[in-house]
Amino acid sequence: VQPRAGGANAKRLLEAEQAARRAIEIQSTNAVAYDRLGAALEERGMSSTDIELAYRRAIELDPQFAVAYVHLASLLRKAGRRGEADPLYTRAIELAKDAPTHVLIGEALQSEQRWIDSEAVLRRALQIDANSPGALYFLGRSLVVRKVYDEAEQSLKRAIEISPRSFAPFSV
């Protein structure tokens, strides 16, 4: 589902959608397949109703699947349905057990300009994995936006030490 350079994204997204649908045919109770279907549909710009149904089905199949809560919450916020989205973010944060899931939540919150909210989630990610380059990067980015430059610099420098080939921390 991740976009790539080279102009073949539409084809890749269609393939991702088809792969998710095939996974659902093989195992109709696979929450990850429904979540990936929703992500592929969302990236393709398809009907928000179909996307929402896919994410809701993922949550129905696995109520402990934090990633699906994040995806659904983000979709609902984009649709102006904040009252429905916020409890889903809260639930995702409650369910998140690993640093990558916390980073995903933090990134989603930042995409909505919710900088302070993202910081708490990213700090929790760093408690779990102090060397998470994603958590360090997104925390640094939030701190730059909020003009807390000393702490931002520390976070971004640490992200660069851990992942020296990553472009994003250098640019921020």
Side-chain angles (χ1 to χ4, degrees):
V1 180
Q2 295 298 318
R4 292 197 177 177
N9 286 330
K11 181 181 177 192
R12 290 176 48 82
L13 290 171
L14 180 58
E15 290 171 357
E17 177 187 344
Q18 291 169 342
R21 289 188 188 283
R22 179 71 181 128
I24 291 166
E25 286 176 20
I26 294 168
Q27 186 182 24
S28 63
T29 59
N30 186 329
V32 174
Y34 278 97
D35 181 71
R36 295 293 72 210
L37 174 61
L41 293 172
E42 190 169 4
E43 286 297 317
R44 290 188 62 215
M46 304 306 280
S47 161
S48 61
T49 302
D50 293 340
I51 300 164
E52 182 177 343
L53 289 173
Y55 291 148
R56 287 194 185 279
R57 181 68 176 141
I59 291 168
E60 178 184 314
L61 291 169
D62 184 356
Q64 303 300 306
F65 188 22
V67 172
Y69 285 92
V70 174
H71 290 153
L72 179 57
S74 178
L75 177 74
L76 294 175
R77 287 279 300 214
K78 289 175 193 168
R81 295 163 59 187
R82 181 179 179 172
E84 293 175 67
D86 288 347
L88 295 169
Y89 274 125
T90 300
R91 184 67 179 140
I93 292 167
E94 291 169 358
L95 293 171
K97 303 290 186 242
D98 57 28
T101 303
H102 283 88
V103 172
L104 174 71
I105 297 166
E107 182 180 11
L109 291 169
Q110 286 188 11
S111 75
E112 299 168 6
Q113 311 298 307
R114 296 174 63 187
W115 304 104
I116 293 173
D117 293 338
S118 77
E119 288 178 26
V121 175
L122 295 166
R123 290 183 195 284
R124 189 189 297 170
L126 291 169
Q127 289 174 347
I128 296 168
D129 179 2
N131 293 322
S132 168
L136 290 163
Y137 163 69
F138 284 111
L139 178 60
R141 187 171 94 161
S142 179
L143 293 166
V144 166
V145 168
R146 294 192 325 99
K147 299 180 180 170
V148 183
Y149 297 119
D150 289 341
E151 190 179 352
E153 183 179 6
Q154 293 172 12
S155 185
L156 293 166
K157 282 184 175 180
R158 183 73 180 125
I160 290 167
E161 288 173 15
I162 294 167
S163 187
R165 300 177 101 191
S166 178
F167 171 79
F170 282 105
S171 69
V172 175

